[in-house]
Amino acid sequence: MPHRLMLLDTASLYFRAFYGVPDTIRRADGTPVNAVRGLLDMIARLTADYDATHLVACWDDDWRPQWRVDLIPSYKSHRVAAEVVAGPDIEVVPDALEAQIPMIRRVLELAGIAVVGEPGHEADDVVGTYASHAQLPVDVVTGDRDLFQVVDDARQVRVIYTARGMKNLEVLTDAVVVEKYRVLPGQYADYATLRGDSSDGLPGVAGIGEKTASSLLGEFGTLDGLLAAAADAGSGLSVSVRSKLAAATDYLAVAPAVVNVVRDLKLPTLEQAGAQLRPVAGDARAELEGLATEWNLGGSVTRLLEALDRRR
């Protein structure tokens, strides 16, 4: 089987599993396990359907990095449950999901699935770094549009988009991004900067929506090119757009650093991380099979083990 790397935007997936699988599925002590089950089923199906040979569960070591907040204070502010002075702020997470995150980590560990995060960075940055440097084809699995910027046909990087559910997965290539947004993947971060994104607390440029943003990038190529045109009286840029860009000068000076994923983190290599998928054997398999019963994970563990057994 040709090697192919799959990168999971893990939090995006376990949130989706939590809301997509009934929380009436519980352990004997009453703790819900719907997110654990849902995530394991996702991994089993995705690795089989897309022929993944390597897998990294990319982790939010810091879901709202302070350096991004320093640049745009509204960044994800609506999702803050409590501010923490000396560490990552506490995200609004349902208690029933919060209780399952340690279980998710334990099951992934026993299954031999690499979990990689980086202090001060989001999972998106881990994805961006691996996707930009991997020497094999890459599938990024996410329900967030932010990562459309890493799509790159030349490097065989695709996004498997889960926003419409596992029965309606969408595979994004260069052509699909262009069809949906009228910008190239390499322009997507600039497009998102101009348009804004209320789900991330990014205000965007007032008066510039999706159509205008794509039209401007189609004409001027990049945000830098657009700003250069705004500074050039002979560029032909309309007075209206110049005014809108001028009003957003402070935002546009910092937003690209917030919106663009980091692509140069010092992460373990795929080999160091243990990213290659293998059958689970020995004590790890015995414990995982035991937890399937103890934690009421049912067929989800069985399906994951079967998917990994095919990686012999």
Side-chain angles (χ1 to χ4, degrees):
M1 178 185 295
H3 284 186
R4 176 174 286 277
L5 171 63
M6 180 169 283
L7 302 171
L8 306 181
D9 178 8
T10 314
S12 166
L13 299 184
Y14 65 61
F15 266 93
R16 184 162 299 279
F18 176 75
Y19 288 111
V21 179
D23 65 2
T24 52
I25 301 173
R26 297 172 177 259
R27 296 192 321 198
D29 65 2
T31 303
V33 293
N34 55 328
V36 186
R37 276 197 180 196
L39 179 63
L40 297 185
D41 281 333
M42 287 180 184
I43 293 173
R45 177 184 164 186
L46 288 162
T47 54
D49 287 358
Y50 294 95
D51 296 324
T53 58
H54 295 67
L55 178 69
V56 178
C58 302
W59 205 263
D60 282 324
D61 273 13
D62 190 338
W63 69 279
R64 187 176 183 249
Q66 188 59 47
W67 59 271
R68 283 190 164 110
V69 176
D70 289 343
L71 294 172
I72 299 182
S74 63
Y75 183 64
K76 296 186 177 180
S77 60
H78 59 296
R79 290 159 54 183
V80 177
E83 294 185 355
V84 178
V85 175
D89 291 336
I90 298 173
E91 186 178 10
V92 175
V93 179
D95 291 344
L97 174 56
E98 188 73 40
Q100 297 182 64
I101 295 175
M103 288 190 279
I104 289 170
R105 290 293 298 251
R106 182 58 180 155
V107 170
L108 293 179
E109 177 187 3
L110 290 171
I113 293 172
V115 177
V116 179
E118 178 70 11
H121 289 276
E122 302 172 56
D124 285 8
D125 300 319
V126 178
V127 170
T129 297
Y130 278 127
S132 299
H133 299 282
Q135 299 300 306
L136 58 161
V138 178
D139 286 324
V140 174
V141 186
T142 184
D144 296 333
R145 295 183 296 176
D146 308 5
L147 286 167
F148 292 176
Q149 63 187 278
V150 304
V151 172
D152 186 345
D153 284 2
R155 300 201 68 258
Q156 300 184 73
V157 179
R158 311 181 298 187
V159 164
I160 300 170
Y161 190 44
T162 64
R164 295 187 298 168
M166 291 296 291
K167 293 182 179 179
N168 296 288
L169 295 174
E170 185 174 12
V171 177
L172 276 80
T173 59
D174 286 7
V176 176
V177 174
V178 170
E179 181 181 358
K180 289 172 72 73
Y181 301 103
R182 297 190 301 166
V183 295
L184 294 165
Q187 297 173 304
Y188 189 84
D190 286 348
Y191 168 79
T193 295
L194 289 167
R195 176 204 64 200
D197 189 340
S198 59
S199 68
D200 280 340
L202 297 173
V205 177
I208 293 183
E210 294 188 353
K211 290 183 179 180
T212 303
S214 62
S215 177
L216 290 170
L217 290 171
E219 184 174 358
F220 298 103
T222 64
L223 178 59
D224 286 343
L226 174 60
L227 295 177
D232 179 1
S235 68
L237 192 64
S238 73
V239 172
S240 174
V241 171
R242 289 177 194 273
S243 176
K244 291 168 183 174
L245 294 173
T249 296
D250 291 343
Y251 164 76
L252 291 172
V254 297
V258 175
V259 176
N260 280 277
V261 298
V262 178
R263 297 174 183 258
D264 59 357
L265 295 178
K266 302 298 183 183
L267 300 176
T269 65
L270 296 180
E271 183 177 3
Q272 291 168 340
Q276 186 163 356
L277 294 173
R278 295 181 173 86
V280 182
D283 291 344
R285 190 180 187 103
E287 183 174 348
L288 193 51
E289 290 174 336
L291 291 179
T293 300
E294 181 183 344
W295 288 356
N296 189 29
L297 300 179
S300 299
V301 165
T302 301
R303 286 185 285 274
L304 178 63
L305 289 172
E306 289 174 349
L308 295 175
D309 285 343
R310 290 194 287 270
R311 298 298 180 269
R312 294 183 188 279

